[in-house]
Amino acid sequence: MPFLNRLFIWLGAAVVFALQCQAKTVTYDFNVTWVNANPDGLYERKVVGINGQWPLPVIEVEKGDRLVVNMYNGLGDKSTSIHFHGMYHFNTTDMDGPSMVTQCPVAPGQSITYDFMVNQNGTYWYHCHTDNCYPDGYRQALIVHDKDAYFNDMYDEEHVITISDWYHDLMEDIEPHFITLANPTGAEPVPNSFLFNDTTGLNIPVEPGKTYLLRLINIGAFVAQYFYIEDHTFRIVEIDGIYTEPAEADILYISAAQRYSILVTMKNSTDKNYPIVTVADSVLLDLISPDLQLNQTNWLEYNHDAAHPEAVMTVDVCSDLNPFDDITLVPHDKLPLYTNPDHKLEFTVTMDNLNDGAGYSFLNDISYVRPKVPTLYSVMSSGSLASNSTIYGEYTHPVILEENEIVEIVLNNADTGSHPFHLHGHVFQLVERYPSYGPTFYDHATGDPVAYDASNASTLPDYPARRDTFVVPPQGYFVIRFKADNPGVWLFHCHIDWHLTQGLAMTFIEAPTLIQERVKIPQQHYDICAAAGVAHEGNAAGNTADFLDLTGQNEQLPWLPAGFTAKGIVAMVFSVVSAFLGMGFITMYGISDLKKGGQGQDGSSSDENGAEY
Amino acid sequence: MAGNSVFAVTVFFICFRECLETTVVVSVLLAFLKQTLGAEEDRPTYKKLVKQVWLGCGLGLFICLAIGAGMIGAFYGLGTNAFSSTENIWEGVLSIISSLVITIMGAALLRVSKLQEKWRVKLSKALEPRTQHHTQGSKRARIKRWTEKYAMFLLPFITVLREGLEAVIYVGGVGLGLPATSFPLAVVTGLAAGLLVGYIIYKGGKETSMQIFLIISTCFLYLVAAGLFSRGVWYFENHAWNKIVGGDASETGSGPGSYNIQQSVWHVNCCNPMFEGGGGWGIFNALLGWTNSATYGSVISYNLYWICTMIAYGLMIYRERHGVIPVIDPAMSRVKGYQEKAKGFVLRRPTRDETASRWDS
């Protein structure tokens, strides 16, 4: 019966889209195994390959297609999953991919099928969403072509360009040195190199006068990159799957997980090749080793035989570059600003140490700790209690959203670094950001953080830009809004993978009763839980008898003890007592000299003096 | 070594002690002159000799100040930053050395009245034999006569010079890790305090109040020394922590990450004596060994210091009352011998006995 339910939903969707286009099913079979690769030419390492290949295959579908991905985990030593970044998964939240949120981790030897309708368009990507697995190479572009895109007749050819940071060590070797006593500041591991389409020094052959659509995706785990092409400007036509009115720009700042589609028109001469320059945002990095190449040059190759000049840096530090401010973009569909939000949320980002001395990240003092049962499965198994946020545990930081309410998130960043925040299952409207991109972006990086003040809000845009990943400035804030029109369990988190590991995430449970009605989880997904030894029923603590009893839930570590604890007081008392006792002895000795009085005059004790020093 | 940029406590006590010792010598000399040449007919000779005493003092003082200034200037000219990579070890070693120096000086201070007596004996030994040679007319005798004639100049001159140079070497050794700005005030107040106490002794002020003053100041000294000792251990631990973290942990201020939670006994996120000068907490740290981040090592060493002090003083009290302690006393003097040797080695300070005997013979 549930199968039939699901079928009906698809049938319904199919009927709708059959009117617009011929929907088809696109199937990918992924056998995930370790392979070797040396993408930067510096170091060969083990990477996660698909069907024995790396770089991974780009998933390409048409808008309205049904996408089926059959993944077999052949890694042997690691659990995995796939998140289709930017996909809305309308009524298929179970296909979203994050482990312990909407599914169980897929253990070695297990298979999972992701099956969902793609009723959206633009530039996306897919990546592993289990522990720190995607920086090991498990990430690639996902393109949804749209024959109705308004800019289709404005370009001749398109290219997908991924940019990424790259580590030479396996995540399993880096991770143990990250959240430890020895790294109290939570300094993120610094990458060893930066890749451009999973290689370096790439030539993109171009023909003079033509216009190209470049789909730019930062598939990195950590570092944002500036992007520009020497002597070329371009027009932005899409961000994170949302078409925008063409906007002229010359420099982009692409954080981890962000996408831009740009139209670049070539010059009419073929005298010269032009560097495509990517500059890693070194402000994010802790200690930069001198052999880390922060600036990469690739080329628009007009003429294979002409010189391929290296990029000339125009600034001393990358933060002097003034990137295009994405909040100023206007969506092509002119969706108006959501007004009068029903549900206002305010979060503050902080970094602090817990009592193991290691660095963690917090949203309103909660560092995300994964539950014992994937949150979606708690929704499915809790009946009428699904609308009670208690059952999802304190440390998944759950917030329940009512269907169709307008949600406003104010994100105050009390940390001195910038953070690209990503919301699963939605794009959100970019309502406000302070400080904006440009020369003032780092104005509050030192000093006190500036929190959002509703009474001091600037004029809001009529048609705010929308995207799914947005950067909050150092010690600044942003305000975003979205409509809770997509029932599901959606993570809201910093897309710097290190910060996600440190707990910079929270969970939205959107219209839980509708999730129970509309989502049918395939038996295979439950079987994966069994294979992984994870419960698929119960509250966050795995309790199926009493959903309100959270005893045994995964918790964040206690805070550092503040000031004087019992042992501190004991130590202090002991020290004071021994100091006074010691001084008592000194006084006794001193007074004994006095008591002897005139005896000192007879010189009998002079030899004693000699012994004193 | 509190990172206090205004007042170096150790330097103060070194200056105080050396100055006090010099003052005692000078005061003994002056008293001696007054006693022997007190009569009215000796008035011109007396005045001349007193003049010699002060001239000797002045010249000695001037030379030491010149040498001291030169030495300290040279230290800072060479740049103490050379030590910064191992700064914590360096400061730890110096803290512990200072602690030991103060401890030994403190014990001596309690018996300063005996110091006066000791010098009186030494002086009479130094002066008496020479008066016998007065009548002979050989060449050697002429030199001896000259030395005798100017004894009242030479004695204070050499004493001041010796004590002064000792102070300079001490201050130089102990103060290497200190900022240059912390020196002047400590030196001036140390000298002033030494002069004051010396003057009180000379005037033969009330012995009771004098002794009470000495007891209080010695207790104070030991508080400082205990703090320094604990601080020294703290510096070693901080060095180990910085090595673990791979940088200067105090860069993170007073908050999390600036200390090793596993070693922490207490930690308050304020009142850091090391951070941005430390303010009042820096002085608190220098005087009482306060730290906002106590470790097992620093707490244990602080208490251990006092326990050792209690034992040592207990034994000294016992010895004064009941004479030499069988097994322990010989062992103690041996340890003190080692200590003296070690001190002499580390600070390149000539031991007192050598100089004293040179003078005596």
Side-chain angles (χ1 to χ4, degrees):
Chain A
M1 283 303 290
F3 173 74
L4 282 178
N5 275 344
R6 186 177 201 96
L7 198 66
F8 283 137
I9 291 164
W10 277 337
L11 280 175
V15 167
V16 170
F17 286 96
L19 300 171
Q20 300 169 359
C21 57
Q22 277 95 23
K24 62 180 187 300
T25 301
V26 178
T27 305
Y28 285 87
D29 294 315
F30 284 174
N31 178 14
V32 178
T33 55
W34 290 112
V35 297
N36 283 327
N38 184 3
D40 55 11
L42 300 171
Y43 188 80
E44 182 169 282
R45 57 158 286 173
K46 211 164 79 161
V47 299
V48 177
I50 287 177
N51 302 332
Q53 297 293 313
W54 195 93
L56 304 182
V58 175
I59 294 180
E60 288 187 84
V61 294
E62 287 284 330
K63 182 178 183 176
D65 282 352
R66 173 182 167 187
L67 174 62
V68 178
V69 177
N70 298 305
M71 186 201 80
Y72 169 75
N73 179 2
L75 291 173
D77 57 353
K78 245 182 185 20
S79 293
T80 181
S81 69
I82 306 177
H83 167 55
F84 303 89
H85 187 113
M87 293 287 113
Y88 303 146
H89 294 290
F90 189 64
N91 292 336
T92 55
T93 183
D94 54 327
M95 300 298 166
D96 191 40
S99 282
M100 299 315 288
V101 181
T102 63
Q103 68 167 79
C104 292
V106 182
Q110 298 295 304
S111 291
I112 189 168
T113 299
Y114 295 98
D115 183 347
F116 54 95
M117 299 303 297
V118 184
N119 296 318
Q120 58 194 110
N121 44 250
T123 311
Y124 303 92
W125 60 302
Y126 67 93
H127 62 84
C128 181
H129 210 304
T130 302
D131 306 322
N132 285 106
C133 56
Y134 89 80
D136 278 331
Y138 195 169
R139 74 285 181 283
Q140 185 53 291
L142 188 166
I143 307 299
V144 185
H145 297 284
D146 175 15
K147 62 182 177 52
D148 299 322
Y150 81 90
F151 48 79
N152 274 355
D153 53 0
M154 294 162 73
Y155 66 89
D156 301 289
E157 268 180 64
E158 74 170 77
H159 286 286
V160 174
I161 292 172
T162 62
I163 54 177
S164 165
D165 42 34
W166 191 246
Y167 293 88
H168 286 167
D169 295 315
L170 281 167
M171 286 302 116
E172 64 191 52
D173 296 326
I174 297 176
E175 233 185 335
H177 303 290
F178 178 51
I179 299 184
T180 67
L181 177 76
N183 185 18
T185 57
E188 303 83 1
V190 177
N192 302 95
S193 61
F194 296 94
L195 304 179
F196 188 91
N197 270 359
D198 286 335
T199 184
T200 56
L202 186 75
N203 286 307
I204 298 177
V206 292
E207 288 175 44
K210 278 193 171 178
T211 298
Y212 291 83
L213 175 74
L214 302 183
R215 297 180 182 273
L216 310 172
I217 315 172
N218 187 337
I219 59 174
F222 170 24
V223 185
Q225 299 194 43
Y226 294 86
F227 174 98
Y228 62 91
I229 304 171
E230 280 188 5
D231 295 333
H232 289 68
T233 59
F234 41 78
R235 284 163 292 160
I236 301 166
V237 291
E238 180 224 323
I239 50 168
D240 296 0
I242 302 298
Y243 297 154
T244 67
E245 293 295 306
E248 193 82 5
D250 50 11
I251 301 176
L252 297 176
Y253 179 84
I254 312 175
S255 78
Q258 284 187 329
R259 291 90 66 203
Y260 283 87
S261 286
I262 56 172
L263 295 174
V264 195
T265 301
M266 298 303 118
K267 297 185 181 299
N268 284 320
S269 90
T270 56
D271 300 342
K272 214 182 137 179
N273 299 313
Y274 289 88
I276 302 169
V277 189
T278 52
V279 183
D281 181 5
S282 52
V283 179
L284 295 169
L285 305 177
D286 182 42
L287 287 174
I288 302 168
S289 94
D291 54 352
L292 176 63
Q293 185 67 40
L294 293 165
N295 319 314
Q296 303 292 325
T297 306
N298 299 274
W299 291 274
L300 283 181
E301 193 180 57
Y302 283 78
N303 180 349
H304 182 71
D305 300 321
H308 290 70
E310 284 295 321
V312 178
M313 281 298 112
T314 53
V315 290
D316 293 328
V317 285
C318 64
S319 50
D320 286 347
L321 292 167
N322 284 324
F324 185 87
D325 191 359
D326 52 349
I327 203 169
T328 62
L329 289 167
V330 175
H332 185 68
D333 61 11
K334 295 267 171 65
L335 182 75
L337 174 75
Y338 296 126
T339 50
N340 303 319
D342 307 295
H343 196 157
K344 292 186 178 183
L345 293 158
E346 191 156 349
F347 299 111
T348 303
V349 177
T350 48
M351 300 272 184
D352 208 342
N353 287 30
L354 293 178
N355 85 336
D356 61 348
Y360 291 88
S361 304
F362 304 85
L363 283 170
N364 290 356
D365 289 342
I366 299 176
S367 181
Y368 180 90
V369 183
R370 70 186 73 156
K372 286 186 169 170
V373 174
T375 305
L376 175 62
Y377 297 174
S378 292
V379 174
M380 302 308 285
S381 59
S382 57
S384 59
L385 279 171
S387 302
N388 185 339
S389 66
T390 313
I391 67 165
Y392 303 110
E394 199 179 332
Y395 301 102
T396 61
H397 203 163
V399 171
I400 296 197
L401 302 177
E402 302 289 335
E403 191 197 9
N404 286 332
E405 66 182 1
I406 303 298
V407 183
E408 178 183 271
I409 299 175
V410 173
L411 191 76
N412 292 313
N413 184 8
D415 179 54
T416 53
S418 60
H419 298 276
F421 266 83
H422 168 51
L423 177 61
H424 287 219
H426 286 278
V427 283
F428 42 73
Q429 294 186 330
L430 316 183
V431 178
E432 219 183 324
R433 173 166 59 191
Y434 178 82
S436 52
Y437 278 177
T440 62
F441 189 68
Y442 291 99
D443 276 6
H444 297 283
T446 54
D448 291 327
V450 181
Y452 173 68
D453 177 6
S455 63
N456 193 21
S458 53
T459 320
L460 304 184
D462 294 328
Y463 307 109
R466 304 196 299 283
R467 66 187 316 167
D468 61 38
T469 308
F470 194 37
V471 177
V472 66
Q475 304 210 80
Y477 58 82
F478 71 48
V479 182
I480 56 174
R481 288 178 189 171
F482 65 96
K483 190 174 182 184
D485 55 4
N486 187 11
V489 176
W490 309 118
L491 219 50
F492 179 59
H493 66 93
C494 176
H495 217 289
I496 290 176
D497 212 34
W498 303 114
H499 297 166
L500 178 58
T501 313
Q502 286 179 307
L504 201 48
M506 50 88 56
T507 314
F508 284 114
I509 297 109
E510 188 169 330
T513 47
L514 284 180
I515 301 174
Q516 289 175 341
E517 274 174 37
R518 295 185 189 171
V519 176
K520 176 64 193 90
I521 290 155
Q523 185 58 40
Q524 183 207 34
H525 287 210
Y526 286 139
D527 294 344
I528 287 164
C529 292
V534 176
H536 68 267
E537 279 182 332
N539 63 13
N543 193 331
T544 49
D546 180 1
F547 272 79
L548 296 172
D549 179 8
L550 272 276
T551 313
Q553 69 172 325
N554 292 334
E555 294 179 338
Q556 81 187 36
L557 291 165
W559 294 92
L560 281 174
F564 285 91
T565 54
K567 73 175 170 184
I569 291 166
V570 168
M572 189 50 126
V573 167
F574 260 86
S575 301
V576 170
V577 166
S578 60
F580 274 100
L581 275 178
M583 287 191 289
F585 271 81
I586 291 168
T587 310
M588 268 171 70
Y589 178 70
I591 283 175
S592 73
D593 188 46
L594 204 59
K595 279 178 184 160
K596 285 194 285 180
Q599 286 176 17
Q601 302 290 332
D602 62 15
S604 65
S605 53
S606 59
D607 56 334
E608 248 175 67
N609 268 315
E612 299 293 351
Y613 38 87
Chain B
M1 334 282 299
N4 184 345
S5 59
V6 182
F7 192 80
V9 182
T10 339
V11 172
F12 168 82
F13 281 111
I14 289 165
C15 292
F16 172 63
R17 189 205 186 269
E18 301 297 344
C19 181
L20 179 60
E21 204 167 330
T22 313
T23 316
V24 166
V25 174
V26 172
S27 65
V28 168
L29 270 179
L30 290 176
F32 174 81
L33 287 178
K34 205 171 188 177
Q35 240 170 34
T36 48
L37 300 166
E40 192 57 44
E41 64 270 27
D42 292 330
R43 200 75 191 156
T45 329
Y46 173 71
K47 273 193 172 168
K48 205 176 104 190
L49 290 178
V50 168
K51 214 184 199 174
Q52 272 189 23
V53 168
W54 287 118
L55 203 68
C57 284
L59 199 62
L61 191 68
F62 175 76
I63 290 174
C64 309
L65 283 179
I67 291 174
M71 256 174 89
I72 288 165
F75 276 144
Y76 285 95
L78 289 172
T80 44
N81 277 345
F83 302 107
S84 69
S85 61
T86 52
E87 200 181 322
N88 278 294
I89 287 188
W90 181 243
E91 298 220 16
V93 168
L94 289 180
S95 290
I96 288 173
I97 289 172
S98 316
S99 166
L100 295 176
V101 167
I102 292 179
T103 305
I104 294 159
M105 279 186 178
L109 206 61
L110 273 181
R111 290 292 179 264
V112 82
S113 54
K114 288 170 190 164
L115 198 71
Q116 203 178 359
E117 185 57 32
K118 190 181 93 181
W119 274 99
R120 199 170 286 152
V121 172
K122 277 189 181 175
L123 265 182
S124 51
K125 270 189 196 165
L127 293 174
E128 271 164 23
R130 275 154 212 178
T131 42
Q132 289 170 2
H133 292 294
H134 197 254
T135 47
Q136 293 171 14
S138 66
K139 272 182 191 171
R140 277 185 72 199
R142 224 178 300 153
I143 298 164
K144 293 220 166 177
R145 229 177 8 248
W146 185 86
T147 24
E148 191 220 325
K149 196 177 173 190
Y150 295 103
M152 285 303 137
F153 166 78
L154 284 177
L155 246 174
F157 173 70
I158 287 173
T159 308
V160 169
L161 199 61
R162 197 177 61 79
E163 299 293 338
L165 284 179
E166 201 172 284
V168 165
I169 290 164
Y170 266 108
V171 168
V174 163
L176 246 192
L178 293 172
T181 50
S182 66
F183 278 69
L185 193 63
V187 170
V188 170
T189 48
L191 293 179
L195 280 175
L196 185 72
V197 175
Y199 184 71
I200 292 169
I201 291 172
Y202 173 61
K203 279 288 163 189
K206 270 189 187 164
E207 212 177 313
T208 318
S209 54
M210 185 64 215
Q211 191 64 17
I212 286 169
F213 167 80
L214 287 175
I215 289 168
I216 292 170
S217 56
T218 306
C219 287
F220 190 60
L221 267 178
Y222 272 71
L223 280 175
V224 171
L228 275 172
F229 191 73
S230 149
R231 206 84 195 130
V233 173
W234 187 93
Y235 274 116
F236 292 144
E237 289 188 319
N238 198 45
H239 175 77
W241 174 238
N242 281 350
K243 242 179 143 179
I244 290 171
V245 175
D248 190 355
S250 61
E251 268 172 28
T252 50
S254 309
S258 62
Y259 64 100
N260 185 346
I261 180 71
Q262 291 177 347
Q263 299 291 324
S264 181
V265 176
W266 73 70
H267 183 95
V268 283
N269 289 347
C270 73
C271 326
N272 187 340
M274 318 282 290
F275 193 51
E276 288 172 356
W281 297 106
I283 293 167
F284 199 24
N285 163 269
L287 298 189
L288 301 175
W290 158 256
T291 171
N292 69 314
S293 188
T295 59
Y296 285 111
S298 65
V299 169
I300 290 168
S301 58
Y302 187 84
N303 285 282
L304 209 62
Y305 175 87
W306 280 115
I307 290 166
C308 291
T309 304
M310 284 182 242
I311 292 169
Y313 272 82
L315 288 172
M316 288 199 292
I317 291 167
Y318 177 90
R319 191 172 52 192
E320 282 202 345
R321 288 184 187 166
H322 307 282
V324 173
I325 312 155
V327 183
I328 302 166
D329 221 20
M332 283 260 295
S333 56
R334 217 179 305 141
V335 167
K336 276 196 171 148
Y338 291 143
Q339 228 173 37
E340 185 64 31
K341 258 187 219 164
K343 204 170 67 181
F345 176 75
V346 173
L347 295 177
R348 314 230 182 282
R349 175 201 188 215
T351 60
R352 177 167 305 272
D353 290 339
E354 283 166 17
T355 31
S357 59
R358 199 189 306 151
W359 224 168
D360 288 348
S361 56

